Amino acid sequence: ALGGRRLRAEPGDGAQTWARFARPPAPEAAGLFHDTFPDGFLWAVGSAAYQTEGGWRQHGKGASIWDTFTHHPPAPPGGPPVADLPSGAQSPLPPATGDVAGDGYNNVFRDTEALRELGVTHYRFSISWARVLPNGSAGAPNREGLRYYRRLLERLRELGVQPVVTLYHWDLPQHLQDAYGGWANRVLADHFRDYAELCFRHFGGQVKYWITIDNPYVVAWHGYATGRLAPGVRGSPRLGYLVAHNLLLAHAKIWHLYNTSFRPTQGGQVSMALSSHWIHPRRMTDHNIKECQKSLDFVLGWFAKPIFIDGDYPESMKNNLSSLLPAFTESEKKLIKGTADFFALSFGPTLSFQLLDPHMKFRQLESPSLRQLLSWIDFEYNHPPIFIVENGWFVSGTTERDDAKYMYYLKKFIMETLKAIRLDGVDVIGYTAWSLMDGFEWHRGYSIRRGLFYVDFLSQDKKLLPKSSALFYQKLIEKNGFPPLPENQPLEGTFPCDFAWGIVDNYIQVDTTLSQFTDTNVYLWDVHHSKRLIKVDGAVTKRRKSYCVDFAAIRPQIALLQDTHVTHFHFSLDWALILPLGNQSQVNRTVLRFYRCVVSELVRANITPVVALWQPAAPHQGLPPPLARQGAWENPRTALAFADYARLCFEELGRHVRFWITMNEPYTRNMTYSAGHNLLKAHALAWRLYDERFRHAQKGEISIALQADWIEPACPFSQKDKEVAERVLEFDIGWLAEPIFGSGDYPRVMRAWLSQRNNFLLPYFTEDEKKLIRGTFDFLAFSHYTTILVDWEKEDPVKYNDYLEVQEMTDITWLNSPSQVAVVPWGLRKVLNWLKFKYGDLPMYIISSGIDDSLHVEQDQLRMYYIQNYVNEALKASILDGINVCGYFVYSFNDRTAPKFGLYRYAANQFEPKPSVKHYRTIIDNNGFPGLKSQGRFCPEEFTVCTECGFFHTRKSLLAFIAFLFFAFIISLSLIFYYSKKGRRSYK
């Protein structure tokens, strides 16, 4: 018992928590944490009598305040009736009472079978006071009520599941409310003592964990101050504080009763289930941190400090509330202090974001961070053993068995609990998922569901059907957490020697400004007055032949690329700049020459250019304005114009380009079916043109680059979610990939889905068109950035895609970038395997992959983490899965063209390498992640032309003249030296 421990913590010690968690964690610590819980960890699930039992009048049960409150609900001032139907509800809901609910009273075997399926070690349930003592007072107990709980306990013993029993979970017998005014009367503590003693005598031999009262904050504040919950007394704040005072004294009496009369023989433990929120300062100032501390004092400390510290209320409450807060006598303080054998914590939507009084936030921000709350409790209350006795989330009342949102919140909270234990040293002994089954959710009635098992409340038999969250929890208990598995461990090894290491710059800055050495004017230096060069009017020199180095912007960019040690550089041409009118009636030769110089200088620097002909971009989808005005890709003539443009590029640039991309990342999600149809034909025309007229001489390769983020079923156990994921993949990737890499036609899944919905807008290819398009590739290139979860359940109508009948979501345990893009490295490996499965063993290039990071983070840790782990997943696909992965390109080159995505920071016309440049360079130099087994692999170095060679190569005549002068100078020096020595000898 804590009563026997030396209490070292000082009130306010928890305030250090905010500073401790102020700095964002390293990416490795922020995401999924692979470890297991301590041996003997208690895995539990919970329920409450009124929420699930039903049988409200069966076998002599008395009425409770919740029976009365739901049968005659008071209308909240200016609000809807209690437990109103949710917006968007698609099916009728049962009456908002707990009269039947899940009918647990008549289904002991059904409920305990659900426990067996989960594999929990503990089951938390509450005893209905009015079921065992119909009037609430000592006297003849209700034998049928006692028999029900004995039957339940016996069944738990057979299954080897330990009970965690709550004496009071909000359902006070109505008789005690009528006779005494409920918990507002101190005499109720004596009745509660009699009821507790009855339970200890009848059930104590089988119960090792007792909870006296659940969530006293809600009972006191919303039962007797705001009236939002039963018994619905709209009293004053003073009454709320008085009720809390009485609840603490009642709890203390029960603890002492058990400690004195029952602990010696029964050996159990007793506590009070305290609910809390977590609060975050708006800004990290001393004032805001004190306000956060005050918020927790007013909600959790209100009850925890008297029990765990000194028997009295927090100083912040006493200072702010003065006469509203009752005072404990010295004997009462001694009675209350230390009356808990463990810290029973409730955390979740019962209080957080729902029943927390807004004034008790003190203008700070509420946050669902369980880990930080656990750390705060650990500091504030002298490192108590913490048993999380209620935790979870909720889904809409219309959501059935694929409760993805609930499942990922459950994963998040359990992950945070594990981190609190392993990383923060918090003594958490057990975890309780809430709740076992769907039930009556207090003020929200049946508009939400919180169960691991689905209940059809309108059915007769009330079967319990496991939801996805139940299957997830069962697997998690089986593994005792998140153990490190081979698939989530990094792999040692290297890529093939010819692996393409690249960088992407979707649109290089076309800067045709020439260097100063191309100026033909003559200047004089004004040394006496302005100290500047003055142009001599009419005096010009002969214009010399122009060279690529005359473009001042090119060489610095290539020097930066060389510094990364990449072998390839991928960029897109600007169609609208090259052909402003969309045809060859007006060709911008200067821009073409600039691009020709870029690719030729890249080749000289031993960097292979990978050039895309078209990339969608604002303002005209990357098209020349006249083509955009004439319908863009909706117009079949755009495909012909594209082929004409491609021919020009092949002619002008093809001598230096070995890798061509026709279309770079066409975004299917905002593309019409006719636009996609014409885009495919445009790609095929360009590919055929290159294949027939240019390939033999230029010896290059050409393909399309698709956008291919991975789509994962939100509920991995759900067949419906798997079908949805496959459907989205076919619409996202297969739409353009299947005609080229597969059958020559659109995916069957896509055609069938649209036909089923009477949508006939997807065009048909003629047989000639199929032949034209099919096989128009030399490799499979795709961009990949993230992974998206999809669920078929319509949990959130605002985010639901009615067209594909899919809801997109994310796993909240995933690491996210500042723009909320999820970092999910294993998604890359999955998409590589899917592409191989669909289209065969093709050479594959990850042509663009990257993440944004904060401009203020000097070390750009997230980008380094992203590159490291995504490249490693590509290595796994190569070595373990036998996929022909040929290259990986990091997006993006610099922040100038892709703000926040760049490897180079851009400021004041200067490019500065971020730490990720060095990190990527190391991976390139190692050709992957060599370990002991792969140290012996040797890749012969390719000959690298020096960066200065381009400069000298273009000035051969000048160099020859300088060499001649230098040679003549040396000869002259030699002759002078020779004759001077000879002269000295003659003199002697």
Side-chain angles (χ1 to χ4, degrees), residues 530-746:
S530 66
K531 309 292 185 185
R532 293 180 181 179
L533 289 172
I534 299 173
K535 183 179 174 184
V536 179
D537 293 333
V540 293
T541 60
K542 184 181 177 182
R543 181 179 295 275
R544 66 166 176 81
K545 184 181 176 182
S546 62
Y547 301 100
C548 284
V549 290
D550 293 334
F551 288 117
I554 294 177
R555 287 185 63 219
Q557 301 279 312
I558 291 177
L560 295 177
L561 287 170
Q562 286 183 298
D563 193 46
T564 65
H565 295 185
V566 292
T567 61
H568 290 65
F569 179 55
H570 170 39
F571 66 94
S572 299
L573 303 176
D574 191 330
W575 185 359
L577 269 183
I578 295 171
L579 298 178
L581 300 180
N583 56 50
Q584 294 196 38
S585 64
Q586 184 181 331
V587 179
N588 190 329
R589 294 288 169 185
T590 306
V591 169
L592 255 181
R593 184 165 159 266
F594 178 84
Y595 282 132
R596 187 164 54 247
C597 286
V598 169
V599 294
S600 63
E601 291 298 305
L602 283 168
V603 171
R604 278 202 185 91
N606 213 25
I607 297 172
T608 302
V610 180
V611 181
L613 295 169
W614 174 77
Q615 164 129 3
H620 303 292
Q621 303 178 44
L623 299 171
L627 294 181
R629 287 194 295 270
Q630 291 163 21
W633 289 110
E634 300 283 338
N635 188 339
R637 291 185 179 181
T638 304
L640 300 174
F642 179 76
D644 190 43
Y645 158 64
R647 177 186 289 106
L648 175 67
C649 295
F650 297 152
E651 289 169 349
E652 296 289 332
L653 310 177
R655 189 162 61 91
H656 306 286
V657 178
R658 294 293 175 267
F659 283 92
W660 287 101
I661 301 293
T662 54
M663 314 287 179
N664 195 47
E665 298 183 70
Y667 190 55
T668 54
R669 293 201 170 188
N670 60 6
M671 190 164 66
T672 65
Y673 296 124
S674 58
H677 201 70
N678 293 325
L679 191 143
L680 281 165
K681 287 193 278 190
H683 155 78
L685 288 170
W687 192 93
R688 297 288 177 195
L689 173 69
Y690 187 84
D691 190 53
E692 292 163 10
R693 294 191 49 186
F694 297 95
R695 188 191 299 276
H696 179 72
Q698 298 179 0
K699 295 181 171 50
E701 295 184 318
I702 182 167
S703 196
I704 190 171
L706 305 169
Q707 185 161 335
D709 287 335
W710 179 242
I711 306 297
E712 178 76 3
C715 298
F717 315 102
S718 165
Q719 186 58 38
K720 286 186 176 181
D721 275 8
K722 289 176 183 175
E723 291 170 5
V724 163
E726 188 64 26
R727 179 159 67 244
V728 177
L729 283 168
E730 292 288 14
F731 271 80
D732 278 2
I733 306 171
W735 179 359
L736 299 180
E738 181 64 27
I740 296 169
F741 301 96
S743 63
D745 202 354
Y746 293 115

Side-chain angles (χ1 to χ4, degrees), residues 378-656:
D378 185 60
F379 286 128
E380 189 79 8
Y381 302 117
N382 192 38
H383 317 295
I386 302 171
F387 190 171
I388 299 168
V389 294
E390 177 184 344
N391 182 237
W393 206 246
F394 63 91
V395 291
S396 161
T398 59
T399 297
E400 297 182 4
R401 295 177 62 183
D402 289 331
D403 56 339
K405 183 175 85 169
Y406 177 97
M407 182 176 73
Y408 287 108
Y409 267 99
L410 193 66
K411 181 182 177 185
K412 165 189 158 70
F413 291 136
I414 296 173
M415 177 62 60
E416 290 189 357
T417 304
L418 180 61
K419 287 180 179 179
I421 295 169
R422 296 300 189 195
L423 302 180
D424 309 330
V426 181
D427 184 14
V428 185
I429 61 171
Y431 178 89
T432 307
W434 198 272
S435 66
L436 174 62
M437 69 188 88
D438 292 333
F440 174 78
E441 290 300 333
W442 309 117
H443 63 297
R444 303 188 72 173
Y446 295 97
S447 67
I448 63 169
R449 293 176 180 270
R450 293 191 64 193
L452 294 170
F453 284 80
Y454 174 77
V455 178
D456 181 355
F457 295 112
L458 299 177
S459 67
Q460 288 296 314
D461 54 6
K462 304 283 190 299
K463 284 182 183 175
L464 294 190
L465 301 173
K467 301 182 187 179
S468 288
S469 56
L471 301 174
F472 164 78
Y473 194 44
Q474 182 263 324
K475 294 285 183 191
L476 189 139
I477 293 170
E478 195 177 275
K479 296 175 183 175
N480 197 36
F482 307 91
L485 299 171
E487 59 264 29
N488 53 43
Q489 297 303 298
L491 179 70
E492 289 184 346
T494 55
F495 290 95
C497 289
D498 60 349
F499 192 78
W501 294 103
I503 286 178
V504 188
D505 194 354
N506 280 343
Y507 277 111
I508 58 172
Q509 208 71 25
V510 176
D511 185 352
T512 55
T513 305
L514 297 174
S515 70
Q516 62 187 13
F517 302 109
T518 61
D519 193 347
T520 58
N521 294 298
V522 175
Y523 297 85
L524 289 176
W525 181 259
D526 183 3
V527 294
H528 299 293
H529 300 100
S530 66
K531 309 292 185 185
R532 293 180 181 179
L533 289 172
I534 299 173
K535 183 179 174 184
V536 179
D537 293 333
V540 293
T541 60
K542 184 181 177 182
R543 181 179 295 275
R544 66 166 176 81
K545 184 181 176 182
S546 62
Y547 301 100
C548 284
V549 290
D550 293 334
F551 288 117
I554 294 177
R555 287 185 63 219
Q557 301 279 312
I558 291 177
L560 295 177
L561 287 170
Q562 286 183 298
D563 193 46
T564 65
H565 295 185
V566 292
T567 61
H568 290 65
F569 179 55
H570 170 39
F571 66 94
S572 299
L573 303 176
D574 191 330
W575 185 359
L577 269 183
I578 295 171
L579 298 178
L581 300 180
N583 56 50
Q584 294 196 38
S585 64
Q586 184 181 331
V587 179
N588 190 329
R589 294 288 169 185
T590 306
V591 169
L592 255 181
R593 184 165 159 266
F594 178 84
Y595 282 132
R596 187 164 54 247
C597 286
V598 169
V599 294
S600 63
E601 291 298 305
L602 283 168
V603 171
R604 278 202 185 91
N606 213 25
I607 297 172
T608 302
V610 180
V611 181
L613 295 169
W614 174 77
Q615 164 129 3
H620 303 292
Q621 303 178 44
L623 299 171
L627 294 181
R629 287 194 295 270
Q630 291 163 21
W633 289 110
E634 300 283 338
N635 188 339
R637 291 185 179 181
T638 304
L640 300 174
F642 179 76
D644 190 43
Y645 158 64
R647 177 186 289 106
L648 175 67
C649 295
F650 297 152
E651 289 169 349
E652 296 289 332
L653 310 177
R655 189 162 61 91
H656 306 286

Side-chain angles (χ1 to χ4, degrees), residues 239-314:
L239 182 61
Y241 292 119
L242 174 64
V243 167
H245 200 74
N246 294 338
L247 289 170
L248 277 164
L249 291 168
H251 156 78
K253 287 186 177 182
I254 306 306
W255 188 90
H256 285 287
L257 166 69
Y258 188 84
N259 194 50
T260 305
S261 306
F262 296 95
R263 193 191 302 274
T265 56
Q266 296 179 359
Q269 299 185 63
V270 180
S271 190
M272 183 191 234
L274 303 181
S275 189
S276 186
H277 62 307
W278 180 247
I279 199 85
H280 191 75
R282 285 186 181 274
R283 290 198 319 277
M284 283 296 292
T285 64
D286 289 343
H287 171 75
N288 285 348
I289 288 172
K290 285 177 183 175
E291 294 297 281
C292 288
Q293 181 77 11
K294 190 194 300 182
S295 176
L296 290 174
D297 281 347
F298 268 67
V299 179
L300 180 56
W302 186 2
F303 303 93
K305 183 173 173 286
I307 294 171
F308 289 90
I309 300 296
D310 59 6
D312 201 3
Y313 295 118

Side-chain angles (χ1 to χ4, degrees), residues 237-238 240-242 244-245 248 298 302 312-328:
R238 184 187 300 276
Y241 292 119
L242 174 64
H245 200 74
L248 277 164
F298 268 67
W302 186 2
D312 201 3
Y313 295 118
E315 288 301 315
S316 59
M317 291 187 76
K318 292 197 288 186
N319 293 339
N320 282 274
L321 297 173
S322 62
S323 62
L324 286 178
L325 194 66
F328 290 116

